[in-house]
Amino acid sequence: MKKWFAVIGNPISHSLSPFMHEKWLSELEIDASYIPIHVEEDNLEEAIMGLKLLGCSGWNVTVPYKEAIIPFLDDIDESAKGIGAVNTVVKTKDNRFIGYNTDGFGFIKSLGPINLEDNILIIGAGGAARGIVNAFKQGGFTNITIANRTAKNAEKMIHDLQIGHFITLNEAEAQLNSFDIVVQTTPQGMKNQANTLPIQLNKLKQHAIVADIVYNPLVTPFLEEATKYNARTINGLGMLVHQGAIAFSYWNGVYPKSEDMIDRLTENLGGNYVNR
Ligand code: ATR
């Protein structure tokens, strides 16, 4: 039977994953397809049963089902355990369905070459920050600081993941020149959200890496500001592409051409922003 993959979510029509995976499958001449499936909340269990019965070889999970899917899987990998969220399901040879989370590793990959000793500042303590911090921890990074508006949310994340320490947003601004990598994970700067900066960047270290997980717009006000300090800026497209590429490699045993895909999506989204 021809292999097929899917992404489930609600809404799903905006997802860039079908475009990305279909392109990679055809480039690599893999006889398979990848389809978006809109799932209503009340039907999640039946939808997953359907995917399994109809021979789906693996699927991605997006908002709002990354946590809710876990009880329907046979096991979850370390990448998903620490954060309680799955974005990729892999079918094993013996027909078991295992949940992974490739978001955080995808994000780290999007940064390009970095050092284990780098001092990392994460701004925000929501689901996306959790995935990224967990991946840094699993990758062996130890110098992790979390700045967040609400102390108790950051402290809960630090307690759950057993890594990092908390500072306020004001402290982050004041200590900014001690960080090599600054990661913006709040929704600020996203289209239709507040256009404010989570922190001012005037103490940014020269040539620091500054990443924003937002990709719409491609250049957030935060990244725009960072370029004034000669930062190497990275938008959220790299994370999107690499999380997909890692999932693709789990399913197909080959890592697809991700840099070309970042360029192609950048073009599709109307930008000419080179983020590496
Ligand atoms: P996710 O999808 O990652 O779970 P989220 O829950 O929408 O995202 O946002 C998570 C983070 O953005 C939180 O750390 C939140 O701060 P609080 O813990 O104080 O709620 C942060 N955040 C959202 N809007 C913000 C704003 N206007 N200023 C500062 N931080 C903000």
Side-chain angles (χ1 to χ4, degrees), residues 188-199:
Q188 289 179 91
M190 204 182 268
K191 201 173 168 197
N192 304 326
Q193 295 276 340
N195 248 349
T196 47
L197 303 182
I199 60 170

Side-chain angles (χ1 to χ4, degrees), residues 76-85 99-106 108 116 120 130-144 160-163 246 250:
I76 60 171
D77 175 70
E78 284 303 318
S79 58
K81 235 173 237 168
I83 53 178
Y100 291 77
N101 197 307
T102 67
D103 287 330
F105 294 110
I108 293 177
L116 283 181
I120 303 167
R130 241 168 217 264
I132 289 169
V133 170
N134 189 50
F136 272 126
K137 180 184 175 186
Q138 291 194 352
F141 294 83
T142 50
N143 304 324
I144 298 175
D160 291 349
L161 298 181
Q162 288 293 298
I163 192 154
I246 299 170
Y250 290 167

Side-chain angles (χ1 to χ4, degrees), residues 201-231:
L201 295 177
N202 49 310
K203 297 226 169 79
L204 188 67
K205 200 181 211 176
Q206 286 283 318
H207 307 292
I209 295 177
V210 176
D212 198 322
I213 63 162
V214 172
Y215 61 83
N216 189 10
L218 290 170
V219 186
T220 59
F222 192 71
L223 293 186
E224 180 99 60
E225 184 68 13
T227 56
K228 294 184 188 161
Y229 302 93
N230 301 316

Side-chain angles (χ1 to χ4, degrees), residues 93-115:
K93 286 204 174 75
D94 54 350
N95 275 337
R96 298 175 74 240
F97 292 87
I98 315 296
Y100 291 77
N101 197 307
T102 67
D103 287 330
F105 294 110
F107 173 78
I108 293 177
K109 229 168 159 98
S110 78
L111 297 180
I114 53 172
N115 300 312

